[in-house]
Amino acid sequence: MKPIKTYDVVVIGSGLGGLVTALLLAQEGKSVCVLEKNNQYGGNLQTFVRDKTIFDTGVHYIGGLDKNENLGRYFSYLNILNDLELTPLNKNQFDCISFGSEKILYPQAQGYANFIDQLVVFFPEEKEALQKYIDTIQWYCQQFPLYNLQQGFGYNEEVMQQSVEKVMNSITTNKKLQAVLLGNGFLSALNVTETPFYVHALTVNSYIQSAWRCVKGGSQITKAFIKQLRHFNADLFKHQKVEKLHFNGSTLESCETHNTIYKANQFVSDIDVQQLFSMFSTENKQKPYVKRIQQLQNTLSVFSVHLVLKPKTIDYFNHNIYHFEEVNDAFSCRNNWQASRPKMMVITTNPHTKNDVFAQSISLMTYMDYEKVQQWQDTFNTVNYESERGNDYQFFKDEIVDNMLTILTKYFPDIRSQIQSVHTSSPLSYRDYIGSTDGSMYGFEKSAQQPLKTLISPKTKIDNLFLTGQNIRLHGILGVTITGFLTVGEMLGKEYFFDKVFKKVGYE
Ligand SMILES: Cc1cc2nc3c(=O)[nH]c(=O)nc-3n(C[C@H](O)[C@H](O)[C@H](O)COP(=O)(O)OP(=O)(O)OC[C@H]3O[C@@H](n4cnc5c(N)ncnc54)[C@H](O)[C@@H]3O)c2cc1C
């Protein structure tokens, strides 16, 4: 018989959503425990080290983190903001968008007026369109009260039905400008016909407010959470993969790992929803909402190349570059490959101090469909369970790396001689570490055609089981944090909880 531990609340999965929910509940005096299958807490906040160089897996920059902005205020409530070591990205170009062999780097700048000022230099005849774009972004953001730390929980379906394509066409017919404005669409796996404009607006608006990198990577966010969780006497356990759920009718009584049974009055799941459902009892699997959610489509996965650079060879660059082979490639994450060469690529680096003079690393990312690696789907490789995926897999990756380095020479002509070592991750890495079925980057794809169908309630049809994390409302550090607050609001009573939160950190 396995030992039994009992809590008020058990949180399954220590991704950002799990950490936010657990801390908020612990702050409310609940006895809380967090269960994580991996060696490292944090899910996509995890970092890894190669040749003494830190790399991020799923957080490269964060928006809205000034203490007076939305994420800054939510993080202040969680009491983690002061523990973060952040460095602001370049005010006049936190992101640069570039096409083919064209030399121009089109800037996206911080601050609404500055955003327009920096771009109008390249599009002098489009000043009105740029102003309209900024006004539209802000208008869409105002439609979501929690984004602005205000009470209000309903959704305006009409607002959510507007696709990126439709809204952008109403702003400008200039396709090049559209491509520049949507150039960081990787942040939401953009597909202009499908993605609702609100997803784009909520995401990019936060970076236009302020854009930050985490010094030494995103895992410091996890550390700040763990410090607070311990302060509130919460328990965290790693190497605890939840393998079974035990139900009594539509009540979840306990969950089970390889060596322990955890009982609780309430459970929160931060794990891939499909994985959660696969552990449901036969009776609970039949519920219509389970079937509905199982039909949803996931966002694409990602292929990343991580370069350790030879010392002092490349200056630290305080912006991200979004490269597209052609202007049209900025409009959809689909059809991203021409043989083994991607049509778009994100280029970023990781600061190791607040005043880096040289870059220690470069990371390259591009969309990859799980199908591309499906032939190796029976392999599994993490630090806990190391195993080779085979020579053909290595060959497959090497070809892609070579093509991505060729693209990189546009920005760093001598890059091939400046690299110390090369490391990669594929959809299989994300699948194995995060536990999703296909390594999806951001969870379920949001759809402008059926916006409410792709919004999942934190409440389930199991009386005491709640959901959180990027699948539920919105992905990204900001989206997942707000979703965590919403989950706790559902558990404790939204009026009571948000009243308390906004009294403390809301806008006057
Ligand atoms: C390549 C990439 C780049 C990104 N870049 C950015 C960025 O620059 N800025 C930004 O804001 N956002 C970015 N994101 C998005 C952001 O990282 C995620 O939206 C967010 O971290 C997801 O948090 P989550 O709570 O949904 O949990 P996840 O990160 O999905 O974590 C889930 C956790 O549950 C654990 N788990 C799974 N199954 C079990 C089980 N059975 N038992 C116990 N534990 C389990 C997993 O191991 C994992 O730790 C990026 C994402 C990716 C993939």
Side-chain angles (χ1 to χ4, degrees):
M1 179 70 180
K2 293 179 183 176
I4 298 174
K5 292 185 192 244
T6 306
Y7 293 89
D8 291 336
V9 187
V10 166
V11 177
I12 307 172
S14 74
L16 177 64
L19 295 172
V20 170
T21 335
L23 179 51
L24 290 172
L25 291 165
Q27 285 177 340
E28 291 286 324
K30 306 264 182 203
S31 73
V32 177
C33 142
V34 181
L35 303 178
E36 170 54 52
K37 75 177 174 60
N38 285 343
N39 192 37
Q40 206 186 119
Y41 298 111
N44 279 298
L45 302 175
Q46 289 175 87
T47 50
F48 64 94
V49 176
R50 295 287 180 275
D51 283 350
K52 299 190 184 138
T53 304
I54 299 169
F55 289 98
D56 272 308
T57 57
V59 47
H60 302 89
Y61 59 132
I62 307 176
L65 251 187
D66 188 89
K67 65 179 188 314
N68 295 317
E69 293 166 355
N70 51 5
L71 186 57
R73 285 169 186 261
Y74 279 115
F75 272 12
S76 293
Y77 189 84
L78 292 158
N79 216 5
I80 64 157
L81 189 62
N82 291 337
D83 282 341
L84 301 183
E85 197 182 357
L86 305 162
T87 174
L89 279 152
N90 192 322
K91 291 270 180 249
N92 291 340
Q93 50 165 45
F94 64 92
D95 283 343
C96 295
I97 320 298
S98 193
F99 304 97
S101 55
E102 192 183 52
K103 288 280 174 254
I104 301 172
L105 297 181
Y106 297 94
Q108 290 211 11
Q110 299 178 55
Y112 298 117
N114 194 27
F115 185 95
I116 298 171
D117 289 347
Q118 299 301 326
L119 269 180
V120 84
V121 175
F122 299 93
F123 297 94
E125 71 293 359
E126 295 282 356
K127 187 159 189 187
E128 244 174 66
L130 284 165
Q131 185 64 56
K132 194 169 173 197
Y133 174 74
I134 286 296
D135 293 345
T136 308
I137 292 277
Q138 288 179 280
W139 186 85
Y140 271 84
C141 291
Q142 278 156 15
Q143 310 311 307
F144 294 84
L146 293 186
Y147 188 85
N148 303 300
L149 292 100
Q150 284 162 2
Q151 292 270 14
F153 308 104
Y155 286 99
N156 182 339
E157 197 172 354
E158 208 185 312
V159 168
M160 298 167 87
Q161 274 170 346
Q162 309 306 314
S163 69
V164 169
E165 183 178 54
K166 192 167 170 201
V167 176
M168 290 307 286
N169 283 342
S170 74
I171 292 173
T172 176
T173 50
N174 183 330
K175 287 288 164 193
K176 183 80 169 274
L177 177 58
Q178 284 193 4
V180 168
L181 296 173
L182 301 176
N184 47 14
F186 187 85
L187 289 167
S188 44
L190 188 83
N191 177 1
V192 288
T193 52
E194 190 70 23
T195 309
F197 189 80
Y198 84 86
V199 171
H200 173 71
L202 297 180
T203 308
V204 297
N205 178 69
S206 69
Y207 294 99
I208 298 173
Q209 285 181 28
S210 69
W212 308 81
R213 277 184 178 147
C214 291
V215 177
K216 296 197 183 84
S219 60
Q220 55 159 300
I221 301 175
T222 315
K223 283 191 201 116
F225 270 103
I226 292 174
K227 180 175 149 193
Q228 286 302 317
L229 281 162
R230 298 233 155 99
H231 175 76
F232 286 100
N233 299 317
D235 284 341
L236 293 107
F237 300 110
K238 41 185 159 173
H239 306 296
Q240 290 295 297
K241 178 175 181 179
V242 171
E243 292 166 343
K244 283 185 196 154
L245 300 176
H246 299 289
F247 292 91
N248 182 358
S250 58
T251 302
L252 179 57
E253 290 198 322
S254 63
C255 64
E256 187 173 341
T257 66
H258 70 285
N259 61 2
T260 309
I261 291 174
Y262 295 88
K263 286 192 167 180
N265 299 328
Q266 291 180 308
F267 292 81
V268 179
S269 169
D270 179 45
I271 69 174
D272 181 78
V273 183
Q274 317 275 13
Q275 300 291 341
L276 180 78
F277 289 160
S278 70
M279 294 187 273
F280 269 26
S281 60
T282 318
E283 178 197 346
N284 286 316
K285 266 186 196 154
Q286 303 303 326
K287 299 203 162 146
Y289 91 106
V290 170
K291 294 194 169 156
R292 172 178 74 80
I293 293 173
Q294 271 170 335
Q295 285 162 7
L296 297 181
Q297 199 176 345
N298 271 335
T299 45
L300 287 174
S301 190
V302 57
F303 184 89
S304 311
V305 180
H306 303 285
L307 308 172
V308 177
L309 300 173
K310 290 182 186 160
K312 301 185 180 175
T313 50
I314 290 183
D315 289 346
Y316 177 73
F317 51 101
N318 201 18
H319 57 269
N320 307 299
I321 303 170
Y322 288 82
H323 169 88
F324 297 92
E325 298 283 82
E326 291 176 22
V327 168
N328 271 344
D329 297 331
F331 298 123
S332 176
C333 58
R334 306 261 163 216
N335 304 319
N336 180 47
W337 293 86
Q338 208 146 35
S340 56
R341 184 175 166 120
K343 296 181 185 171
M344 74 78 59
M345 190 168 97
V346 189
I347 303 164
T348 185
T349 187
N350 218 333
H352 282 63
T353 69
K354 276 194 169 178
N355 308 303
D356 276 359
V357 177
F358 294 99
Q360 286 193 29
S361 64
I362 292 182
S363 288
L364 313 173
M365 290 175 283
T366 190
Y367 300 115
M368 186 179 272
D369 202 313
Y370 185 71
E371 267 174 29
K372 254 181 139 37
V373 292
Q374 205 148 17
Q375 68 186 99
W376 300 284
Q377 66 174 341
D378 296 332
T379 62
F380 188 90
N381 186 19
T382 63
V383 283
N384 286 349
Y385 304 95
E386 277 189 59
S387 89
E388 289 295 319
R389 301 199 204 269
N391 289 341
D392 47 352
Y393 179 68
Q394 192 56 46
F395 180 73
F396 162 81
K397 291 196 300 178
D398 288 348
E399 255 193 323
I400 295 174
V401 170
D402 192 48
N403 279 317
M404 289 174 81
L405 291 182
T406 303
I407 296 173
L408 191 59
T409 54
K410 171 180 167 188
Y411 306 93
F412 303 97
D414 302 322
I415 186 69
R416 285 184 193 270
S417 64
Q418 293 162 326
I419 295 171
Q420 186 167 310
S421 59
V422 179
H423 313 273
T424 54
S425 63
S426 82
L428 294 172
S429 327
Y430 282 89
R431 181 201 64 176
D432 294 354
Y433 275 100
I434 302 300
S436 53
T437 32
D438 54 7
S440 164
M441 261 203 292
Y442 303 133
F444 296 128
E445 204 170 68
K446 301 282 182 291
S447 159
Q449 278 81 43
Q450 297 177 298
L452 296 185
K453 206 173 157 191
T454 47
L455 275 197
I456 296 169
S457 170
K459 265 190 187 161
T460 67
K461 304 290 176 204
I462 308 298
D463 304 335
N464 60 341
L465 172 63
F466 296 83
L467 305 177
T468 201
Q470 64 179 6
N471 270 297
I472 309 312
R473 286 297 151 101
L474 193 63
H475 65 281
I477 304 308
L478 175 59
V480 170
T481 300
I482 297 177
T483 304
F485 275 78
L486 185 64
T487 302
V488 173
E490 290 287 359
M491 295 171 80
L492 302 179
K494 286 190 280 207
E495 298 286 324
Y496 153 77
F497 178 64
F498 281 105
D499 209 33
K500 188 171 171 182
V501 174
F502 298 153
K503 267 202 183 115
K504 199 161 171 197
V505 295
Y507 295 98
E508 293 293 297

